[in-house]
């Protein structure tokens, strides 16, 4: 199985997938491997990419909270974040760090992202987000995660501080630039990927994973071989089995082409 993150990994900087990478993925699937998308994006924010790829299988979305069947356009599993617990975690962080900018990702195949007035969405999918006037509206429906931003702290500093402050209320993950998230305790991409893999009849021993951010670390631990993109976050580079070219330089294709040619450690089991 080939497991690929999306942003910063499979997708180029302009949000597209190159012809070379498409061809490499088609070749490995023709050779008998499964390709599975594993992303921090929720299912509604992933659907357009899957459609463009002609992807009709299972995808792991929402940091592992959602196992989504693209062909049937339905959730096979879904784990939500307790809203009261999330609010307690936010209160604990704000008590020490001051006011945060908040956004939430609603659960479901049509769930939207709601933001408060301070939150700045760093995404090409801004059209799927709505700013609420009353912050109580953020908590009106089931959620799969909460996004945090701080006016002074960068992503790494906010992630470290939030982890220390929330205790065991939630987990805190850094998924990309401007993307620090509160998720249910124990939720990781590896959890969702293991559920999807079970449905496909494969295991971590059969898997090569590609990623670029700290939220990919558990997935690398689960898979037999973890490949970080050039320019990946230092925390992921520290645990990667291999570093490939960047997402804009067809890094996934570079590795898969070698595997198909019988070259490289991952192909030989080394």
């Amino acid at each position: 199985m080939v497991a690929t993150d999306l942003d910063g990994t499979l997708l180029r900087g302009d949000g597209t997938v190159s012809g070379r990478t498409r061809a490499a993925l088609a070749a490995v699937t023709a050779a008998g491997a499964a390709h599975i998308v594993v992303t921090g994006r929720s299912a509604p924010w992933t659907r357009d990419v899957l459609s463009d790829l002609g992807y009709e299988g299972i995808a792991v979305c929402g940091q592992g909270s959602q196992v989504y069947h693209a062909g049937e356009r339905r959730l096979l599993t879904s784990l939500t974040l307790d809203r009261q617990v999330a609010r307690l975690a936010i209160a604990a962080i704000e008590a020490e760090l001051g006011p945060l900018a908040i956004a939430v990702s609603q659960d479901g195949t049509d769930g939207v992202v709601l933001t408060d007035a301070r939150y700045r969405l760093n995404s090409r999918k801004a059209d799927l987000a709505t700013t609420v006037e009353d912050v109580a509206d953020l908590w009106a429906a089931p959620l799969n995660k909460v996004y945090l931003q701080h006016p002074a702290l960068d992503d790494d500093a906010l992630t470290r501080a939030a982890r220390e402050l929330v205790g065991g209320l939630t987990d805190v993950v850094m998924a990309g630039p401007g993307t620090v998230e509160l998720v249910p305790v124990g939720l990781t991409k590896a959890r969702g990927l293991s559920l999807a893999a079970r449905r496909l009849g494969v295991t971590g021993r059969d898997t090569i994973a590609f990623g670029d951010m700290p939220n990919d670390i558990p997935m690398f631990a689960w898979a037999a071989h973890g490949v970080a993109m050039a320019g990946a976050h230092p925390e992921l580079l520290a645990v990667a089995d291999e570093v490939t070219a960047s997402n804009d330089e067809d890094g996934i294709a570079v590795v898969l082409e070698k595997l198909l040619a019988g070259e490289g450690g991952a192909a030989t089991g080394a």
Side-chain angles (χ1 to χ4, degrees):
M1 184 167 67
V2 177
T4 62
D5 173 47
L6 284 184
D7 296 286
T9 304
L10 180 63
L11 300 181
R12 294 182 291 189
D14 63 1
T16 64
V17 181
S18 75
R20 181 182 177 186
T21 295
R22 290 172 185 268
L25 289 170
V28 295
T29 56
H35 170 223
I36 188 163
V37 165
V38 187
T39 177
R41 296 187 187 203
S42 61
W45 287 47
T46 308
R47 203 155 41 217
D48 63 331
V49 177
L50 301 180
S51 177
D52 177 63
L53 289 170
Y55 186 109
E56 296 189 346
I58 297 172
V60 177
C61 304
Q63 303 296 6
S65 65
Q66 299 172 324
V67 177
Y68 175 68
H69 195 299
E72 298 176 1
R73 297 175 71 89
R74 68 185 180 95
L75 291 173
L76 302 178
T77 66
S78 182
L79 178 67
T80 57
L81 174 64
D82 187 296
R83 284 168 279 173
Q84 182 176 356
V85 169
R87 296 178 78 171
L88 289 172
I90 290 169
I93 297 168
E94 291 187 322
E96 293 294 327
L97 302 182
L100 298 165
I102 305 294
V104 301
S105 174
Q106 292 183 338
D107 189 44
T109 56
D110 296 312
V112 297
V113 168
L114 302 178
T115 77
D116 68 15
R118 295 187 297 267
Y119 196 88
R120 296 292 175 262
L121 195 66
N122 301 322
S123 172
R124 290 176 297 275
K125 301 293 290 180
D127 57 315
L128 289 180
T130 300
T131 301
V132 300
E133 295 184 6
D134 185 351
V135 294
D137 293 341
L138 297 175
W139 313 106
L143 311 173
N144 50 60
K145 57 183 174 180
V146 173
Y147 302 91
L148 309 178
Q149 290 175 351
H150 190 275
L153 298 177
D154 66 19
D155 300 327
D156 290 317
L158 177 57
T159 300
R160 288 191 297 268
R163 283 176 179 160
E164 293 177 0
L165 293 167
V166 299
L169 291 172
T170 70
D171 282 349
V172 183
V173 298
M174 203 273 270
T179 312
V180 177
E181 302 174 0
L182 301 182
V183 299
V185 172
L187 176 67
T188 66
K189 284 187 175 184
R191 177 189 179 278
L193 182 54
S194 66
L195 293 175
R198 195 175 306 157
R199 290 176 176 270
L200 297 173
V202 296
T203 69
R205 295 189 300 274
D206 310 310
T207 302
I208 179 172
F210 295 84
D212 72 312
M213 282 291 165
N215 62 327
D216 295 315
I217 292 173
M219 180 169 70
F220 278 25
W222 182 84
H225 195 77
V227 183
M229 313 305 288
H233 192 282
E235 291 181 14
L236 187 69
L237 291 172
V239 301
D241 297 302
E242 181 179 353
V243 179
T244 186
S246 74
N247 57 316
D248 284 320
E249 298 171 324
D250 296 308
I252 290 176
V254 168
V255 174
L256 295 184
E257 288 163 0
K258 289 180 180 179
L259 291 179
L260 289 165
E263 304 171 13
T268 61

